[in-house]
Amino acid sequence: VQLQASGGGLVQDGGSLRLSCAASGSISVKLAMGWHRQVPGNEREFVAAISGGGVPKYADTVKGRFTISRDNAKNTVNLQMNNLKPEDTAVYYCAATQESWSLYPEDYWGQGTLVTVSS
């Protein structure tokens, strides 16, 4: 399974960005997919995930501001990020697993996409 992420960029405090991740390759089930993020020097942290059945899960730090969704026909997952804060600045990584019920996908990883929120 290969994951291709897109959509990062620079935004001001309070702004919005939308990240997308497309999965390709040998996929026989509905992947559970999600996002993690990492600030240089820190450990990677969970952001949000959505199961193959569409159940979402969010980190407390983004709950109410971020929304994760999926398009099964396109094997894509999107992360709508609203009311962004400088502390959201990080490299965001798409992740997936073929364990469709999982809410912590981490078997496959895409390349990171940088999100920078200026104050």
Side-chain angles (χ1 to χ4, degrees):
V1 176
Q2 293 80 45
L3 303 176
Q4 180 68 45
S6 61
L10 173 65
V11 66
Q12 290 187 332
D13 190 356
S16 298
L17 279 176
R18 183 178 177 88
L19 304 183
S20 293
C21 177
S24 61
S26 180
I27 303 171
S28 58
V29 299
K30 289 181 181 178
L31 299 172
M33 301 181 73
W35 297 89
H36 301 248
R37 65 188 181 187
Q38 187 171 25
V39 175
N42 291 359
E43 292 187 357
R44 192 171 295 185
E45 66 173 1
F46 170 81
V47 176
I50 187 165
S51 72
V55 176
K57 178 181 179 180
Y58 300 95
D60 289 342
T61 52
V62 306
K63 202 171 293 183
R65 300 187 297 121
F66 292 11
T67 302
I68 192 168
S69 61
R70 62 184 299 138
D71 183 336
N72 290 326
K74 298 180 180 179
N75 279 327
T76 60
V77 63
N78 301 302
L79 185 68
Q80 179 65 42
M81 305 185 293
N82 297 329
N83 191 21
L84 282 160
K85 305 175 182 181
E87 51 263 42
D88 294 316
T89 295
V91 177
Y92 283 69
Y93 294 90
C94 176
T97 177
Q98 300 209 43
E99 297 179 347
S100 297
W101 61 90
S102 175
L103 288 175
Y104 197 83
E106 57 176 353
D107 290 335
Y108 308 103
W109 293 91
Q111 89 287 4
T113 185
L114 178 62
V115 171
T116 304
V117 184
S118 64
S119 57

